Amino acid sequence: MTQHARTASFFALILVLIVGTGFVQSWNTALLILNMGLVSAVMALGVNLQWGFAGLFNVGVMGFVALGGLAAVLVSMPPVGEAWAAGGLRIVLALVLGAATITAAILAYARVPATWRGWAIAAILIVGFFVYRAVFDPGVAAVEKINPAATGYLGGLGLPVLLAWPMGGVLAAGAAWVIGKTALGLRSDYLAIATLGIAEIIIAVMKNEDWLARGVKNVIGLPRPLPYEIDLQNDPGFVERAAGLGLDPTTASTLYVKLGYGVYFAIVLVILLVLAQLALNSPWGRMMRAIRDNETAARAMGKNVTRRHLEIFILGSAVCGMAGAMMTTLDSQLTPGSYQPLRYTFLIWVMVIVGGSGNNFGAVLGGFLIWFLWVQVEPLGVALMSVITAGMAEDSGLRTHLLDSVQHMRLLTMGLILLIVLRFYPRGLLPEK
Amino acid sequence: MDVLNGLVALANFVLVPAIAYGSQLALGALGVTLVYGILRFSNFAHGDSMAFGTLVVVLFTALFQSMGISLGPLPTALLAIPFGIAGAALLILGTDRLVYRFYRAQRVKPVILVIVSIGVMFVYEGLIRFIIGTGEQRFADGERFIISAREFKQMTGLREGLALKTTQGLTVVTAVIVVALLFWFLNRTRTGKSMRAFSDNEDLALLSGINPERVVMVTWLIVAALATVAGVLYGLDKSFKPFVYFQLLLPIFASAIVGGLGNPLGAIAGGFVVAFSEVGITYAWKKVLVYLMPEPLEPSGLVQLLSTDYKFAVSFVILLIVLLFRPTGLFKGKAV
């Protein structure tokens, strides 16, 4: 089978799976899977840029996704004027001071003679830290005191939420620049551990800094790019059209909103996919692959490997950030407590590896396929377990335990899929040409 | 008196917890570092190996408790440790046979093995949750304290108490024994020496007739034992929760890298560096400083540098600093 036919048939399979879900379960479920599948595909594209193009082992995906989510809050929520008046400027000033401290320390590292360097840096950092805390803490306390049950944070810019998607990419790119500057020189497994840790730190900051996005109190009710279901149901024109299609208004409104998100996400995915394909086949993409396959040779040919790595690290992270903003928009809420590395880092990696690293279509396919399985393993597991436990007594302890544990089968399944694909299709379902 | 009170407070809230935590991290980091030294990859499934060993111990502890077997003042879990090690060893050796051996034969790049270990991590995680769920399990029994804060205050007449939990004492004693055994094994026995030879130079070791499969098997056995012991000690000290064990992966890796990956001594040093910084930076120093500083300088705030939620951040900042300025770690590690 040629590469094209293979790609086409796998995507046809995805279509069948999702449409099948629509017929067997419900169209709402099918659209839910489709929407998160689109978001997952974008994330997988980002990871594929880094791993598939350049061989960078970034397991901090969760951090960038979360930053994208943060951007959605910062862009779309209305600003809290009182909080800004109470302590907003103080916080901004403190952050500037903190950044100045770090810049000064970096300058000291470069400029101060070696004998004094250690002491100078230590002095700058210690003094800077205490000054920062002295300015920062009262500001935070003041902001968090303003109506903590509803706001207690600075709020956002009050701009349309769609703007948050590129902004999520920008925010993630900024973080990736800082991280890449420090950590990209590390060898592959060190980079992995470093990024894993940085992602944890980003989540810790988001959980902890209530003034920023309410921390674990969560921001809910983000503005939506689409109308609310209840407004649609009260709109006579919409009800009439729904009736024309033979749908009751409630179902029609939920389907309409989900389809709307699907269209938005599909547009983003298609744009990114086209760009990624163009990049892959451009001289720049060939250079990336050359660096990936033999760094020393590429360096000898005069390629600036460090710079290229930084570029692609930022690009890939920006794509993940964009996906994060899309996901938060879809959920209409930011819940920092729900970010877990298994779900937001390693699952994305499973998608890329299973789909085929180095192949953009492979990554997209992996995103859809793995997300479909992630959602559907549970109902399948319940069915399987009911068959297995059918012969057991109603009140047997083992039966209840087995039925209760079904929810944990998805991790097991994902692991098995990853191991099997790595063993028998090490280049993924849609291998790189 | 104030100075003594201050020192006791320091010991009670910083030194004792950090030493116990550091020992647990050191044991975990030893496992990671051994895999890195012999098999040459970072094992992302290590946290879950720890969790699996501990899970078996938890189940056997419950069994022993229901049979009325106990160790008196010591936790029953000690009796169950051999079963836990056996369980973890079976699982890990099975994994090696089914998964890792194939890639070893192909001599794939280390980063592929890391990805494979991510797959293994998923499977273990699912298995553990399947068996015991995600809830918290407390399995420490026996005497709770060696010295409780109240007894200490009565004994010394100081205002501050020094509590020493049985599990903390046990952690340190067990860690010392395990580490001593490990170093004796690595330095004195034939198998241990062949392991070190294999770690230093694989080709030369093969040339001198060392059986690689045997070395790998012994390594996994030791790793299973270290992981189980570390997991049980951590679980006795705090509690057993699968997700927490998965998260332990981060400080453990930090310890191993800070000390120098592949270097057992470094892993131990790294464990304590990470533990002391974590506890030191997230502890509210007010209590200690009130005693140690002259009256006018006494702090008004809590003097907590960072809130406790940032403890992961601490280990990673240390990790980054070490990696940037001394990439092979404090003790010379190896670079694959």
Side-chain angles (χ1 to χ4, degrees), chain A residues 133 182 187 189 208-209 423, chain B residues 36 42 98 305 307 310:
Chain A
R133 287 290 295 258
T182 43
R187 286 189 358 253
D189 359 13
N208 233 6
E209 303 300 327
R423 174 83 174 248
Chain B
Y36 192 83
S42 306
L98 285 174
L305 293 180
S307 98
Y310 282 125

Side-chain angles (χ1 to χ4, degrees), chain A residues 80-406:
Chain A
V80 182
E82 256 181 289
W84 273 101
L89 293 177
R90 239 193 132 88
I91 290 180
V92 173
L93 176 68
L95 292 180
V96 171
L97 278 175
T101 306
I102 292 170
T103 320
I106 292 172
L107 279 180
Y109 180 70
R111 298 280 167 80
V112 177
T115 36
W116 292 97
R117 190 183 289 154
W119 296 107
I121 294 177
I124 291 172
L125 287 179
I126 291 170
V127 172
F129 181 77
F130 282 103
V131 171
Y132 161 76
R133 287 290 295 258
V135 180
F136 186 67
D137 289 356
V140 169
V143 168
E144 287 175 6
K145 216 184 287 169
I146 310 264
N147 191 7
T151 55
Y153 74 124
L154 289 175
L157 299 172
L159 297 172
V161 71
L162 284 184
L163 268 182
W165 299 359
M167 275 313 292
V170 171
L171 193 61
W177 182 78
V178 175
I179 296 165
K181 272 286 181 191
T182 43
L184 269 185
L186 305 174
R187 286 189 358 253
S188 58
D189 359 13
Y190 283 4
L191 179 66
I193 313 284
T195 46
L196 190 67
I198 288 161
E200 282 300 337
I201 293 177
I202 293 176
I203 301 296
V205 171
M206 285 177 51
K207 276 186 186 167
N208 233 6
E209 303 300 327
D210 287 10
W211 59 270
L212 183 64
R214 302 196 77 220
V216 283
K217 289 187 286 181
N218 304 337
V219 179
I220 53 171
L222 260 67
R224 292 174 23 163
L226 290 158
Y228 284 88
E229 285 87 347
I230 190 75
D231 296 336
L232 288 175
Q233 287 158 28
N234 291 336
D235 172 10
F238 180 80
V239 175
E240 201 174 302
R241 265 179 292 150
L245 289 168
L247 290 166
D248 67 288
T250 320
T251 321
S253 61
T254 52
L255 287 181
Y256 175 83
V257 170
K258 290 199 177 75
L259 256 179
Y261 277 118
V263 171
Y264 278 129
F265 292 167
I267 292 171
V268 175
L269 178 66
V270 168
I271 293 174
L272 288 175
L273 187 60
V274 168
L275 289 178
Q277 269 312 98
L278 288 175
L280 183 69
N281 296 319
S282 69
W284 182 81
R286 277 195 296 279
M287 172 170 60
M288 281 299 169
R289 276 171 287 154
I291 292 174
R292 177 195 67 190
D293 293 337
N294 192 338
E295 214 175 294
T296 323
R299 220 185 273 274
M301 298 292 287
K303 304 298 176 206
N304 188 343
V305 174
T306 323
R307 232 190 125 70
R308 296 289 91 73
H309 274 170
L310 186 63
E311 265 172 25
I312 199 130
F313 187 69
I314 291 175
L315 279 178
S317 304
V319 173
C320 290
M322 207 181 280
M326 286 156 59
M327 193 183 73
T328 305
T329 312
L330 178 66
D331 296 342
S332 287
Q333 56 178 355
L334 178 68
T335 52
S338 66
Y339 287 95
Q340 294 191 353
L342 277 176
R343 160 69 183 87
Y344 289 103
T345 296
F346 294 114
L347 190 68
I348 313 299
W349 269 89
V350 175
M351 291 169 182
V352 174
I353 302 284
V354 168
S357 51
N359 183 335
N360 291 320
F361 291 101
V364 172
L365 171 80
F368 280 113
L369 190 63
I370 294 298
W371 181 253
F372 178 84
L373 290 171
W374 180 258
V375 175
Q376 295 292 22
V377 158
E378 208 170 312
L380 287 178
V382 172
L384 180 73
M385 278 300 166
S386 331
V387 173
I388 292 178
T389 55
M392 295 183 195
E394 272 303 314
D395 54 348
S396 105
L398 184 62
R399 179 168 189 274
T400 25
H401 178 83
L402 284 177
L403 286 175
D404 285 345
S405 322
V406 162

Side-chain angles (χ1 to χ4, degrees), chain B residues 91-159:
Chain B
L91 178 76
I92 294 180
L93 284 179
T95 312
D96 185 69
R97 172 62 59 92
L98 285 174
V99 181
Y100 293 125
R101 195 159 78 164
F102 172 77
Y103 298 97
R104 208 158 47 239
Q106 291 196 329
R107 291 194 156 236
V108 295
K109 282 189 289 186
V111 69
I112 302 294
L113 277 170
V114 176
I115 297 178
V116 171
S117 80
I118 290 177
V120 172
M121 176 184 86
F122 265 104
V123 174
Y124 284 6
E125 186 79 24
L127 207 60
I128 291 160
R129 293 188 185 187
F130 200 79
I131 296 175
I132 203 159
T134 49
E136 192 170 18
Q137 313 279 337
R138 294 185 181 277
F139 59 106
D141 52 1
E143 206 66 53
R144 233 173 102 66
F145 288 103
I146 297 175
I147 316 172
S148 76
R150 201 155 50 88
E151 286 167 8
F152 184 86
K153 282 186 208 167
Q154 280 168 356
M155 248 162 36
T156 58
L158 289 171
R159 267 176 45 216

